[in-house]
Amino acid sequence: MSAKLAQKIKRLRKEQNLTQIKLAKKAGIAQSFLSNIENDLQSPSLKNLEKISKALDISLPDLLK
Amino acid sequence: MSAKLAQKIKRLRKEQNLTQIKLAKKAGIAQSFLSNIENDLQSPSLKNLEKISKALDISLPDLLK
DNA sequence: CTGTAGACTGAGGTCGACG
DNA sequence: CCGTCGACCTCAGTCTACA
């Protein structure tokens, strides 16, 4: 669906030297779920997107651009 | 959770003279579900938010601002 | 026209393990 | 460190109906 979002999350995570486990923990979601999101296999809910954007220190609208 | 989004959707819908049924149909979702979203009783998925933003002729990031 | 309710299905999401 | 798999459970989202 939205493959760009997946790539952006992965890119931002790596730029901040975070592992999937660290980011997942920071965002309060499961690592396996984060992996699925980064590979565009699952479409997260608004709630979880907000958590992820906060964990990446970026606003939700910006994350979706 | 995000009450502002709910209000914004309702506002934009009315500005475009759409009923819940019309907008729901245009977005491909159920009217009862749209009602719940507009009253902040349910948190939609990314997928459905995209559908709604398109039906309202607004970009998803802008809808979330 | 809208809010709400009940009953239902499928997707979102967890946890743990492993190559 | 990451991708994936299976078992599991919650909730998003459906439809129909009604005040």
Side-chain angles (χ1 to χ4, degrees):
Chain A
M1 187 124 217
S2 168
K4 291 185 179 177
L5 171 67
Q7 294 167 5
K8 189 160 189 178
I9 291 175
K10 184 177 273 185
R11 210 196 70 224
L12 288 172
R13 176 176 61 79
K14 292 197 171 176
E15 284 178 6
Q16 300 181 25
N17 290 314
L18 296 171
T19 72
Q20 286 186 345
I21 297 180
K22 283 186 189 170
L23 177 57
K25 193 171 185 180
K26 197 175 176 192
I29 63 176
Q31 174 269 328
S32 58
F33 178 44
L34 177 57
S35 173
N36 280 342
I37 294 174
E38 289 190 350
N39 289 289
D40 204 27
L41 298 176
Q42 240 172 311
S43 173
S45 69
L46 228 206
K47 275 186 187 173
N48 283 312
L49 260 188
E50 281 179 340
K51 290 186 192 171
I52 293 169
S53 69
K54 282 178 186 168
L56 287 172
D57 287 312
I58 183 175
S59 77
L60 182 47
D62 284 348
L63 181 58
L64 290 168
K65 273 182 189 168
Chain B
M1 189 122 215
S2 166
K4 291 185 180 178
L5 172 66
Q7 294 168 4
K8 189 160 189 176
I9 291 175
K10 183 177 272 185
R11 211 196 68 226
L12 289 172
R13 176 175 62 79
K14 294 196 170 175
E15 284 178 5
Q16 300 180 26
N17 291 314
L18 296 172
T19 72
Q20 285 186 347
I21 297 181
K22 284 187 189 170
L23 178 57
K25 193 171 185 181
K26 197 175 176 192
I29 63 175
Q31 174 268 329
S32 58
F33 179 44
L34 177 56
S35 172
N36 280 342
I37 293 174
E38 290 190 349
N39 288 289
D40 205 27
L41 298 176
Q42 239 171 313
S43 172
S45 68
L46 226 207
K47 273 188 187 172
N48 284 313
L49 261 188
E50 281 178 339
K51 290 186 192 173
I52 293 169
S53 68
K54 282 177 185 167
L56 287 172
D57 288 312
I58 183 176
S59 77
L60 183 47
D62 283 347
L63 181 58
L64 291 168
K65 273 180 190 169

